[in-house]
Amino acid sequence: MNRATRIEDLVTPDKALSMSGLDYMRGILSGDLPGPPIGATLGYELHEVDAGRVVFRGTPTFDFCNPMGTVHGGWYGTLLDSCMACAVMTTVPQGSTYTTLEYKINIVRPIPLGTEIEAIGTTQHSGRSTGVANGEIRGVADGKLYATGSTTCIVMQIASPRA
């Protein structure tokens, strides 16, 4: 995956607004658009994209542990925020943008270090001003549930500049 390493590597707002959210996410998956820098930092990447559904994959390492040696809750939260918000993004029309308003996670069990997981986001509602999605973190090899989440995103119509 093509990753942005500097602010200049990111897609310009005008280019982003010229595409639907689904086309934008598909561009990241294909490598035609840069992936989010946070994915490189936290060891996860986009794996699947469909309308209303996004999957990220990652493997927690020691770098993501809390002082007790278990995977930090912020790692779970970041992956769930990413997959849920990006699932909403796949439903956002051209000329619009979105951002997370709030999200909640429930950690069911600790992820053993080195376990490859999937963070699966699924849109439940997408309207003109809000989107709602759910998420799960599951083990790739065994399908074991590690965490769940829910989010509400704000969807914003961006006015095009006048000629």
Side-chain angles (χ1 to χ4, degrees), residues 7 55 62 103:
I7 194 81
V55 178
F62 180 76
Y103 74 97

Side-chain angles (χ1 to χ4, degrees), residues 114-128:
T115 301
E116 185 180 24
I117 59 86
E118 288 187 327
I120 306 151
T122 307
T123 302
Q124 305 300 307
H125 162 78
S126 183
R128 287 181 298 149

Side-chain angles (χ1 to χ4, degrees), residues 35-148:
I38 189 80
T41 301
L42 293 183
Y44 67 94
E45 64 182 21
L46 189 59
H47 183 71
E48 292 178 31
V49 173
D50 206 351
R53 185 174 185 274
V54 170
V55 178
F56 286 91
R57 281 195 176 177
T59 305
T61 62
F62 180 76
D63 292 335
F64 310 127
C65 285
N66 60 30
M68 296 178 296
T70 60
V71 177
H72 191 282
W75 195 81
Y76 293 81
T78 301
L79 269 103
L80 284 166
D81 182 36
S82 293
C83 74
M84 294 182 301
C86 286
V88 169
M89 183 176 184
T90 67
T91 67
V92 171
Q94 179 182 349
S96 296
T97 189
Y98 79 103
T99 193
T100 301
L101 281 174
E102 61 84 32
Y103 74 97
K104 179 186 185 318
I105 67 167
N106 292 304
I107 298 172
V108 176
R109 62 173 53 92
I111 301 171
L113 293 180
T115 301
E116 185 180 24
I117 59 86
E118 288 187 327
I120 306 151
T122 307
T123 302
Q124 305 300 307
H125 162 78
S126 183
R128 287 181 298 149
S129 60
T130 60
V132 175
N134 291 332
E136 295 181 340
I137 294 178
R138 291 190 174 272
V140 170
D142 61 8
K144 192 178 285 188
L145 180 66
Y146 290 100
T148 64

